[in-house]
């Protein structure tokens, strides 16, 4: 998918882009659609807790992308990952869960537990659909915009390359508390709707290093 935003082009930019531009690999778009079908239409769910969890996936990514001789550019990898973790932990209960998943979420969120320690790549991928809604991309200078976009795109490339390793198949079990005959099983209006993926807008919020608003 390509989010409908201003691109960087091949030259040097002096104007700040209004929205974040990300290109979601076809294999990850398929993952999102399969995820929606499994959870919202078939009532299946990914077993929790997930291993590797989001924190473990990103720790491996940082380790792979950060050489021993660190540079300023390398440091940005860890900074962006820390920002993604904060955004994921804040955004998951607000905008990354289908209605069918909220009961299960409440069972796992005991005192001190963070979503990034329980959920895996399946839910983390949903964050990238919401990021343009959450990030105040227009507040960044052009160089920071380009670096952030590059880092986020690389994370997507990493997930795409390791899809078989990090993404689980939804189980046939229905999340507890759901009535198989309920029409709620077929709802797609809560959390994530792939129909709106091609174009999303930016809302006011904190920078990637802070928690999302709303």
């Amino acid at each position: 998918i390509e989010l409908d935003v201003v691109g960087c082009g091949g030259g040097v930019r002096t104007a700040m882009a209004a929205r974040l531009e990300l290109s979601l690999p076809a294999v990850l778009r398929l993952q999102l659609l399969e995820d929606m079908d499994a959870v919202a239409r078939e009532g299946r769910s990914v077993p929790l807790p997930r291993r590797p969890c989001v924190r473990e996936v990103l720790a491996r990514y940082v380790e792979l992308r950060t050489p021993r001789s660190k540079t300023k550019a390398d440091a940005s990898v860890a900074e962006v990952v820390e920002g993604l973790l904060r955004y994921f932990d804040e955004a998951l209960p607000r905008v990354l869960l289908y209605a069918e998943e909220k009961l299960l979420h409440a069972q796992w969120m005991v005192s001190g537990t963070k979503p990034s320690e329980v959920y895996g790549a399946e839910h983390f991928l949903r964050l990238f659909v919401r990021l343009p809604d959450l990030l105040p991309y227009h507040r960044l200078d052009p160089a920071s915009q380009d670096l952030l976009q590059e880092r986020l795109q690389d994370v997507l490339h990493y997930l795409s390359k390791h899809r078989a390793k990090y993404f689980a198949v939804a189980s046939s079990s229905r999340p507890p508390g759901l009535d198989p005959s309920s029409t709620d099983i077929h709802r797609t209006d809560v959390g994530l709707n792939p129909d709106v993926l091609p174009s999303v807008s930016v809302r006011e919020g904190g920078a990637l290093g802070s928690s999302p608003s709303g």
Side-chain angles (χ1 to χ4, degrees), residues 3 49-50 66 85 101 105 107 111 113 135 162 170 187 193:
L3 302 178
R50 285 284 290 112
T66 307
L85 285 171
E101 298 174 304
H105 172 76
Q107 294 176 11
S111 179
T113 303
L135 283 174
H162 298 282
R187 289 180 57 195
N193 184 352

Side-chain angles (χ1 to χ4, degrees), residues 132-181:
D133 280 324
L134 302 173
L135 283 174
Y137 193 64
H138 60 288
R139 296 181 184 175
L140 302 177
D141 61 79
S144 296
Q145 287 182 346
D146 290 344
L147 180 60
L148 177 58
Q149 178 182 323
E150 178 185 340
R151 294 297 182 220
L152 294 176
Q153 200 66 60
D154 190 57
V155 173
L156 286 171
H157 173 74
Y158 178 76
L159 292 175
S160 175
K161 183 177 180 180
H162 298 282
R163 184 193 181 195
K165 179 179 181 181
Y166 289 142
F167 291 89
V169 177
S171 69
S172 58
S173 61
R174 191 175 301 278
L178 286 179
D179 178 2
S181 63

Side-chain angles (χ1 to χ4, degrees), residues 62-146:
V62 171
E63 182 179 1
L64 181 66
R65 292 294 190 267
T66 307
R68 292 183 178 180
S69 55
K70 295 181 180 179
T71 66
K72 184 176 181 180
D74 297 327
S76 69
V77 174
E79 292 174 2
V80 168
V81 164
E82 282 302 313
L84 284 172
L85 285 171
R86 283 192 288 270
Y87 262 77
F88 180 78
D89 286 336
E90 290 289 335
L92 182 120
R94 301 179 186 181
V95 294
L96 301 184
L97 293 176
Y98 290 103
E100 293 77 13
E101 298 174 304
K102 292 188 176 182
L103 284 176
L104 196 59
H105 172 76
Q107 294 176 11
W108 281 103
M109 288 301 102
V110 296
S111 179
T113 303
K114 297 181 178 180
S116 56
E117 298 168 341
V118 174
Y119 291 86
E122 305 80 20
H123 290 81
F124 180 57
L125 180 58
R126 300 179 192 178
L127 177 64
F128 286 85
V129 179
R130 292 296 189 181
L131 271 180
D133 280 324
L134 302 173
L135 283 174
Y137 193 64
H138 60 288
R139 296 181 184 175
L140 302 177
D141 61 79
S144 296
Q145 287 182 346
D146 290 344

